[in-house]
Amino acid sequence: MELNYTKERKDASDYQREVNEQMNQEGFVHLRFVVEDNQDVLYCYEIQVNKISQSKGLGTFLMKVLELIAFYNGFSKTMLTVFDVNEEAKSFYKNKLGYVVDPFSPTGEEDCDYEILSKVIKVNPKIEKPHLPSGLTLSSR
């Protein structure tokens, strides 16, 4: 599943509109639903925010949407991988969003240049897990 945030441009040819969409994509997050240690987990495989859109709240917004998806689907936590050299991202996840080093992280192992971070999603007993109307099914491509 991929969530995209783009600005729309008007009055352009089909080709130019496609080029504009690619150039104007402000950010996206690529996520997957996985099972880790017998727990349903929402894994953030990739998040990117256009350089000119950074520090404006878009990355926080995308991550909060990701956490809401996990929350409403009853997942136990969200997880992601961050490279050691990306200190800015590590600070963003840990200090701003409250992620911690996951027990599955190979942190400190030789030849390891990344950490696995996670955030526990608290279950809200007042919210029922949404169910598809009868006769409908979900499929992935």
Side-chain angles (χ1 to χ4, degrees):
M1 178 182 291
E2 197 169 283
L3 302 171
N4 290 292
Y5 177 80
T6 58
K7 289 183 180 177
E8 186 177 327
R9 293 222 176 165
K10 297 180 181 180
D11 301 325
S13 69
D14 288 340
Y15 172 76
Q16 190 61 44
R17 188 175 299 116
E18 185 176 324
V19 170
N20 287 344
E21 276 182 27
Q22 291 173 2
M23 292 176 63
N24 264 335
Q25 185 167 317
E26 300 300 318
F28 74 90
V29 61
H30 177 216
L31 57 101
R32 296 187 79 164
F33 303 118
V34 298
V35 176
E36 190 74 47
D37 196 32
N38 293 320
Q39 296 179 342
D40 290 328
V41 172
L42 191 149
Y43 207 103
C44 176
Y45 271 79
E46 183 175 9
I47 180 170
Q48 290 188 22
V49 175
N50 191 328
K51 195 71 166 167
I52 61 170
S53 298
Q54 292 178 1
S55 299
K56 296 180 181 175
L58 181 57
T60 300
F61 172 79
L62 289 172
M63 291 302 294
K64 292 295 181 184
V65 168
L66 201 145
E67 291 170 14
L68 281 172
I69 291 170
F71 177 81
Y72 280 105
N73 285 283
F75 286 24
S76 61
K77 64 182 172 180
T78 55
M79 297 176 74
L80 57 91
T81 301
V82 62
F83 288 104
D84 290 336
V85 297
N86 197 343
E87 290 296 330
E88 190 175 354
K90 286 171 71 171
S91 176
F92 170 69
Y93 296 126
K94 290 178 177 181
N95 301 330
K96 187 163 188 170
L97 298 177
Y99 280 75
V100 296
V101 177
D102 191 81
F104 285 103
S105 182
T107 306
E109 290 183 13
E110 204 173 308
D111 296 330
C112 180
D113 61 350
Y114 66 92
E115 286 184 323
I116 297 174
L117 304 179
S118 64
K119 184 175 184 178
V120 173
I121 302 296
K122 297 190 175 14
V123 176
N124 186 340
K126 295 180 183 178
I127 295 178
E128 244 182 77
K129 187 174 178 180
H131 298 283
L132 285 173
S134 62
L136 295 179
T137 60
L138 289 177
S139 64
S140 59
R141 295 181 187 196

